[in-house]
Amino acid sequence: MSTTDSAAPLTADVVLIGAGIMSATLGLMLKELQPDLTIAIFERLDVAAAESSDAWNNAGTGHSAFCELNYTPEKPDGSIDISKAIKIAEQFEQSKQFWAYLVEKYQVTGVTRFINHIPHLSFVWGDKNVEFLRKRHAALTQSPLFRGMEFSQSRAELEQWMPLVMDGRDPQQSVAATRMDLGTDVNFGSLTRGMFTLLQEKPGVSFYFHHDVDSLKRKEDGAWRVKAKDLATGEKKKIRAPFVFIGAGGGSLPLLIKSGIPEGEGFGGFPVSGQWLKCINPEVIARHHTKVYGKAAVGSPPMSVPHLDTRVINGQRELLFGPYAGFSTKFLKQGSYLDLPLSVKLSNMRPMLIAGLKNIPLTKYLINQVRQSPEDRLAALREYLPEARSEDWQLETAGQRVQVIKKDAKEGGVLEFGTEVVAAADGSIAALLGASPGASTAVSIMVGLIQRCFSDSARTPAWQAKMREMIPSFSKNLNDDAALLEQQRARTSAVLGLTEPAPAS
């Protein structure tokens, strides 16, 4: 996709900053809801989806809480809190419904380029963890969203589910796993670029790649003036719009601060980088066809939950293990080492200092991760793949994430690991901060943003009807409506081709 050659228009109805999955989702939704809206999209790089949305920069898991143990914490009384898991599972169902709507309406071909059927497994060892997994399974399967999830301690069954994980494992080790066949692998880079292609074909949409937004200012009439620099020519572009969305991944925080809205005061960011071990032995890759998630180490961020993942990238099967966390002061993979220090302002200094002092174990964990040797990384892999050989794996750099730090009335400052939308009181500007579960729940997040920032239009019968057309479960609770859930899962699986196995090579 190339940069639009014409000069930036003087005005637009909507400005989207960042050409990732969030902007693509919001842009398409708004054009479906109101086709005559004019939209300008600015991206610092020369291609879409090259940062957090890129296939090699994220896990690609269709996050639905089937296998992610950090979404089901154990409470002090020993019971399992499944509220977050239910919310995320419902959000991913909405994502699949919207994607199926796009596939049907625009007759998109090659659907498996961005989504494939890959079972999701949780795997643990040790008596305490096995008991946790048993309780988690019992709690989750009370919800229709998780019916069909299997639990097993049978080594014969586990060998069928994940042969590589069981090969060479100590027969005396207490192990257990859960399996959800409905799991998916998503290439969010391919999906994002596909959605931008659909947007590009619509009237009133302008793209400006290789443009760095360096100024956001609210004018007296309430509109925003956005200034961007063409990184190839140095030319400045100015555009006015009544609504601006900042969906620039790690680059969102500095722009939110520049906007000067009071709602953005006190927000800071803590960057966490990542690496993968990528399998380069086709024979090993061919023997694993699942996503296996384990438990995160004490003090580690949720994005560092270890997982052994079958991926389908550009039609080819891949196998990754990780991520190994690290620390960099960059907010983007292709950012600046000055990103973190320049983000510290008087308004967020106190929350950042307090959050830092309260998260010293996390800092120590990241330092230890950075200091890891190849032997250390191989040892971590062998906990999941006992017979792993170093010559079958190579180290790859993954994406950069910025965890949210925000002021808190009680704590002073807290470090958040989720995704957060920060919007002005009048709904004229909004920024998306944070990481997991991120891309998987983009549709639900953007529905909420539209209801918040386009509240008058969102309440009209026309927009309500269109929302239900795009997302049939809109405004409904799938956890309380098993029939609707079953109907929509059958529909989206058929439309998205999820009844077919992933490509074999």
Side-chain angles (χ1 to χ4, degrees):
M1 199 179 297
S2 61
T3 302
T4 301
D5 293 328
S6 59
L10 294 175
T11 62
D13 295 314
V14 172
V15 167
L16 306 176
I17 303 173
I21 184 68
M22 296 296 175
S23 290
T25 303
L26 179 59
L28 260 183
M29 279 189 168
L30 288 174
K31 287 296 281 187
E32 292 296 304
L33 290 164
Q34 187 174 328
D36 63 350
L37 275 177
T38 55
I39 299 176
I41 302 160
F42 289 87
E43 167 58 46
R44 193 169 60 89
L45 302 179
D46 55 5
V47 293
E51 281 279 354
S52 297
S53 300
D54 183 73
W56 293 107
N57 291 342
N58 63 57
T61 301
H63 284 300
S64 42
F66 293 159
C67 57
E68 305 92 326
L69 300 179
N70 54 304
Y71 296 154
T72 51
E74 188 170 10
K75 295 191 283 191
D77 65 0
S79 63
I80 307 298
D81 184 354
I82 65 170
S83 57
K84 186 174 183 179
I86 287 173
K87 180 181 178 181
I88 290 172
E90 287 195 321
Q91 288 176 324
F92 189 64
E93 291 300 324
Q94 287 192 333
S95 290
K96 289 193 296 181
Q97 289 170 33
F98 181 63
W99 300 338
Y101 163 82
L102 295 178
V103 169
E104 288 182 318
K105 178 172 181 177
Y106 295 101
Q107 299 180 334
V108 177
T109 58
V111 173
T112 51
R113 286 178 303 148
F114 79 84
I115 188 166
N116 284 281
H117 164 229
I118 305 285
H120 286 190
L121 275 71
S122 301
F123 173 64
V124 299
W125 57 88
D127 292 341
K128 184 177 179 181
N129 288 334
V130 168
E131 182 57 25
F132 162 77
L133 194 64
R134 185 195 309 278
K135 290 190 296 184
R136 177 183 186 268
H137 173 261
L140 285 176
T141 49
Q142 297 303 305
S143 162
L145 289 157
F146 298 91
R147 282 183 194 151
M149 177 182 283
E150 302 172 78
F151 172 87
S152 181
Q153 288 181 265
S154 163
R155 298 186 82 89
E157 193 163 32
L158 298 184
E159 285 168 6
Q160 291 183 341
W161 289 358
M162 44 184 185
L164 284 182
V165 175
M166 298 304 293
D167 280 359
R169 189 166 295 278
D170 181 356
Q172 301 305 312
Q173 187 181 49
S174 175
V175 295
T178 57
R179 182 179 189 272
M180 193 72 172
D181 187 62
L182 197 62
T184 57
D185 174 73
V186 186
N187 183 333
F188 288 106
S190 177
L191 172 60
T192 301
R193 287 185 284 273
M195 288 200 289
F196 276 131
T197 297
L198 294 179
L199 260 178
Q200 193 175 37
E201 294 170 353
K202 294 180 176 293
V205 179
S206 304
F207 286 85
Y208 302 96
F209 287 102
H210 217 216
H211 280 66
D212 187 30
V213 173
D214 54 19
S215 174
L216 287 163
K217 187 175 182 180
R218 181 184 253 154
K219 306 304 288 182
E220 292 181 1
D221 61 359
W224 288 89
R225 185 191 67 192
V226 178
K227 286 185 179 180
K229 179 182 179 181
D230 186 325
L231 296 177
T233 66
E235 177 190 355
K236 292 277 189 176
K237 286 187 171 66
K238 299 177 184 178
I239 188 166
R240 289 167 66 96
F243 176 75
V244 175
F245 172 66
I246 306 171
S252 291
L253 177 62
L255 291 172
L256 174 63
I257 293 171
K258 285 182 179 182
S259 75
I261 61 172
E263 292 81 5
E265 288 184 5
F267 277 93
F270 185 83
V272 178
S273 60
Q275 294 176 312
W276 300 106
L277 280 179
K278 174 188 173 183
C279 186
I280 54 176
N281 185 333
E283 293 181 3
V284 175
I285 296 171
R287 292 193 62 214
H288 190 78
H289 185 250
T290 186
K291 289 177 179 288
V292 177
Y293 272 59
K295 290 196 79 172
V298 175
S300 65
M303 68 169 287
S304 299
V305 172
H307 39 100
L308 182 67
D309 271 18
T310 291
R311 300 292 312 277
V312 182
I313 300 176
N314 300 326
Q316 182 170 329
R317 279 266 292 276
E318 305 281 359
L319 181 59
L320 304 178
F321 177 78
Y324 299 93
F327 177 75
S328 166
T329 55
K330 292 182 178 182
F331 278 1
L332 292 163
K333 191 173 180 178
Q334 300 184 54
S336 165
Y337 288 108
L338 296 176
D339 287 342
L340 177 59
L342 290 177
S343 75
V344 181
K345 308 293 181 184
L346 285 175
S347 63
N348 64 15
M349 186 179 294
R350 184 172 181 270
M352 290 183 72
L353 287 173
I354 293 173
L357 289 171
K358 290 181 178 177
N359 287 275
I360 290 175
L362 170 61
T363 305
K364 290 180 178 178
Y365 169 81
L366 294 175
I367 291 172
N368 289 333
Q369 287 277 296
V370 171
R371 295 171 59 190
Q372 278 190 322
S373 67
E375 290 74 24
D376 293 330
R377 286 189 285 268
L378 183 63
L381 171 61
R382 282 179 173 162
E383 289 189 324
Y384 289 83
L385 224 64
E387 296 187 344
R389 304 181 307 168
S390 59
E391 59 265 33
D392 291 338
W393 301 81
Q394 68 181 27
L395 192 64
E396 296 282 348
T397 301
Q400 191 81 1
R401 301 289 187 273
V402 178
Q403 312 297 337
V404 178
I405 294 174
K406 64 179 182 179
K407 59 184 177 183
D408 182 83
K410 291 184 179 179
E411 303 292 330
V414 293
L415 180 64
E416 298 281 350
F417 291 109
T419 309
E420 183 147 356
V421 175
V422 182
D426 64 357
S428 65
I429 189 169
L432 186 82
L433 305 177
S436 180
S440 295
T441 58
V443 171
S444 175
I445 292 169
M446 291 303 110
V447 168
L449 185 148
I450 288 169
Q451 291 175 315
R452 188 171 171 182
C453 297
F454 298 81
S455 56
D456 290 343
S457 296
R459 286 193 291 265
T460 63
W463 279 40
Q464 291 276 313
K466 191 64 180 182
M467 277 291 193
R468 285 190 290 272
E469 182 186 349
M470 295 190 295
I471 307 165
S473 68
F474 171 70
S475 76
K476 297 179 181 178
N477 188 326
L478 289 174
N479 191 51
D480 295 336
D481 193 337
L484 178 62
L485 172 64
E486 185 177 347
Q487 176 195 52
Q488 287 304 313
R489 277 185 168 170
R491 171 182 162 263
T492 57
S493 291
V495 174
L496 297 175
L498 298 180
T499 54
E500 298 298 322
S505 62

